Amino acid sequence: LVLLATFRLLLSTFFFLIAMTHTFKMLIDGKLVDGEGTPYDVLNPSTGAVFAQAPSCSRAQLDVAVAAARKAFPAWAATPVKERQALLAKAAAKVQEKIDVLAEVLVKEQGKPIAMAKGEFMGIIGTLKHLSSEQFEYEKVLLDNKKERVIQRRMPIGVIGGITPWNFPPLMAGWKFSEALATGNVCII
């Protein structure tokens, strides 16, 4: 339940807040929080000016995030696949709704052309849509005869930690969290 509420909060506020403010926050245990360290300046490479500040996550805050994710994992893993997929479809719709504003922020942060910035978010939308309709095969009989029966079972493993590169941060984060959530895992980016 905590993770579902957190995911809904992410869908309804995270993209809006990222795009509309110049002070970024972290989402930890369902709450938007400031970093405990000195924020990082985010420079617009075309002007050299600071256009935003990103939070500095302390080790204690990371520990809180991991503990919250571990706590949320059993309920999320038990959430039916179709329900998880419905949430991924909603996430795709939310990214699509905010794509112009999100792309503008990415242009300021990365200095890449608007078409490439929108392309990153289109990649996230495509991944979310694909995973929202994927027919996951969680149990498959590999061998079944008089001598033996071999069953392959795929099951969620827990908390996934994702680190994104500098060159495609939204796309890489989107790939990590969408696949983790689709398969019943929880994810910290």
Side-chain angles (χ1 to χ4, degrees):
L1 237 99
V2 172
L3 188 60
L4 290 176
T6 300
F7 191 66
R8 287 185 186 119
L9 176 67
L10 173 69
L11 294 180
S12 64
T13 62
F14 180 68
F15 293 115
F16 178 77
L17 288 170
I18 283 179
M20 302 308 286
T21 68
H22 295 302
T23 302
F24 294 86
K25 294 188 179 281
M26 298 178 293
L27 182 64
I28 299 177
D29 199 14
K31 299 174 204 77
L32 290 169
V33 298
D34 294 316
E36 291 178 349
T38 303
Y40 294 97
D41 288 338
V42 182
L43 302 176
N44 181 332
S46 64
T47 66
V50 173
F51 84 93
Q53 289 195 314
S56 176
C57 182
S58 70
R59 183 174 293 233
Q61 287 177 303
L62 180 58
D63 289 344
V64 169
V66 170
R70 284 184 177 145
K71 181 178 163 190
F73 170 66
W76 184 249
T79 301
V81 173
K82 293 296 181 194
E83 195 173 323
R84 294 194 308 249
Q85 288 178 315
L87 289 169
L88 293 176
K90 285 182 183 180
K94 184 60 79 171
V95 175
Q96 182 67 58
E97 177 186 323
K98 302 292 183 186
I99 193 168
D100 291 332
V101 181
L102 292 167
E104 287 177 26
V105 172
L106 187 58
V107 166
K108 286 181 184 176
E109 187 232 349
Q110 294 274 301
K112 62 178 62 177
I114 191 76
M116 288 181 70
K118 283 186 178 181
E120 276 198 58
F121 291 103
M122 291 304 297
I124 294 170
I125 293 165
T127 300
L128 289 166
K129 284 182 176 180
H130 170 74
L131 292 170
S132 71
S133 62
E134 178 70 20
Q135 297 299 313
F136 293 104
E137 191 172 10
Y138 285 99
E139 188 169 298
K140 181 179 179 181
V141 177
L142 299 176
L143 185 63
D144 190 8
N145 58 45
K146 291 180 183 181
K147 187 176 174 184
E148 57 195 345
R149 179 173 170 90
V150 179
I151 301 173
Q152 174 185 3
R153 287 195 176 106
R154 296 175 187 241
M155 50 189 114
I157 59 171
V159 179
I160 308 297
I163 299 173
T164 62
W166 65 270
N167 53 347
F168 294 100
L171 183 60
M172 297 295 159
W175 284 347
K176 290 170 186 0
F177 78 74
S178 61
E179 292 172 2
L181 294 174
T183 56
N185 295 292
V186 293
C187 189
I188 298 171
I189 300 287

